[in-house]
């Protein structure tokens, strides 16, 4: 009499989980956690479910695998407003998500050299919304933010933060004044000695500094991020 032994399907399922874990780069001895993402972003970092995006409000671009920084650029278009209005506000949106026991922190580094922006006074401030980024914003914010601590979370919706760079430009003007003096001599018939003639003239002009916005270089706000585990410093 032949006895057929049916192996439990559970072993097969376990083997598939182990294989999936290996393909995802997870340790076989660890726990494989799967998250369902309802956000619809097209990039995700293999860092315990971290998402990071930067861009103009509503136009954030997301980091891909191996990327730890993103830059928001601005230049001639914003310079035209700066020249005509004397001030301009540049809003930037930052999306972030850290799942599991990962925290996420980032820093922002401005590069605002040359052109109208280089001649302006500017400030970088964290604000509560895109609409709050106006030319009336003043003050400087710390250039580091930690939107996610290392407390466990299974959140699927990113946190959105906003930054506002405000630049103010006042044309530099001044008055240039100069005096020209000329001296000459001539011999007049009937006069024994030469006659010396001296004349002078003064002129002035108002000089105004002007920069063409079309020549504005590209400026950047670079956001560099990293994740951290419980017990590590953000």
């Amino acid at each position: 009499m032949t006895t057929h032994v049916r192996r439990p399907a559970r072993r097969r399922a376990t083997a598939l989980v182990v294989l999936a874990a290996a393909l995802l780069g997870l340790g076989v001895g660890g726990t494989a956690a799967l998250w369902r993402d309802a956000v619809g972003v097209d990039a995700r970092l293999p860092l315990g479910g971290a998402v990071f995006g930067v861009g103009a409000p509503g136009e954030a671009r997301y980091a891909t695998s191996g990327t730890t920084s993103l830059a928001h650029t601005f230049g001639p278009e914003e310079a035209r407003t700066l020249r005509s209005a004397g001030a301009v506000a540049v809003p930037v949106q930052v999306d972030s998500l850290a799942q599991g026991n990962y925290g996420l922190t980032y820093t922002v580094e401005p590069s605002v050299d040359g052109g109208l922006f280089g001649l302006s006074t500017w400030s970088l401030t964290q604000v509560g919304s895109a609409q709050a980024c106006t030319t009336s914003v003043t003050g400087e914010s710390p250039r580091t933010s930690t939107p996610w601590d290392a407390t466990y979370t299974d959140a699927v919706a990113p946190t959105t933060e906003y930054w506002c760079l405000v630049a103010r430009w006042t044309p530099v003007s001044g008055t240039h004044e100069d005096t020209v003096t000329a001296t000459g001599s001539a011999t007049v018939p009937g006069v024994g000695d030469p006659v010396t003639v001296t004349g002078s003239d003064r002129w002035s002009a108002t000089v105004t500094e002007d920069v063409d916005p079309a020549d504005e270089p590209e400026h950047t706000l670079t956001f560099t991020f990293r994740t951290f585990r419980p017990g590590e410093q953000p």
Side-chain angles (χ1 to χ4, degrees):
M1 182 179 206
T2 302
T3 301
H4 298 279
V5 178
R6 298 184 63 185
R7 296 182 180 276
R10 183 178 178 181
R11 293 187 179 179
R12 182 181 178 186
T14 301
L16 291 176
V17 170
V18 171
L19 177 59
L23 292 176
L24 290 172
L26 300 173
V28 174
T31 300
L34 303 179
W35 289 280
R36 181 180 299 276
D37 188 0
V39 180
V41 297
D42 57 4
R44 178 178 290 276
L45 292 177
L47 297 174
V51 173
F52 192 77
V54 171
E59 301 177 8
R61 297 179 298 104
Y62 292 89
T64 56
S65 178
T67 303
T68 58
S69 65
L70 292 171
H72 178 69
T73 61
F74 56 97
E77 181 178 349
E78 292 79 4
R80 281 191 288 271
T81 301
L82 179 58
R83 186 180 184 277
S84 62
V88 66
V90 182
V92 184
Q93 175 179 322
V94 179
D95 290 341
S96 64
L97 171 64
Q99 296 173 325
N101 282 112
Y102 277 94
L104 187 146
T105 186
Y106 68 90
T107 59
V108 54
E109 181 63 34
S111 177
V112 191
D113 299 321
L116 281 166
F117 277 90
L119 296 171
S120 303
T121 57
W122 57 268
S123 60
L124 183 61
T125 310
Q126 195 169 6
V127 293
S129 66
Q131 293 74 23
C133 182
T134 67
T135 55
S136 63
V137 172
T138 59
E140 287 277 347
S141 294
R143 295 179 183 173
T144 299
S145 178
T146 306
W148 295 88
D149 59 29
T151 303
Y152 177 82
T153 178
D154 58 358
V156 295
T159 289
T160 299
E161 297 180 330
Y162 295 93
W163 293 78
C164 185
L165 185 141
V166 176
R168 295 178 177 83
W169 176 67
T170 302
V172 177
S173 62
T175 301
H176 178 80
E177 188 174 290
D178 203 355
T179 301
V180 177
T181 301
T183 302
S185 62
T187 301
V188 180
V191 179
D193 296 327
V195 177
T196 300
V197 180
T198 300
S200 63
D201 191 15
R202 299 180 65 185
W203 62 275
S204 63
T206 299
V207 180
T208 302
E209 180 183 48
D210 196 8
V211 182
D212 189 350
D215 298 329
E216 190 75 11
E218 186 177 85
H219 308 293
T220 59
L221 294 175
T222 301
F223 295 81
T224 302
F225 68 98
R226 67 178 179 84
T227 59
F228 58 94
R229 288 185 177 276
E232 297 177 346
Q233 290 294 324

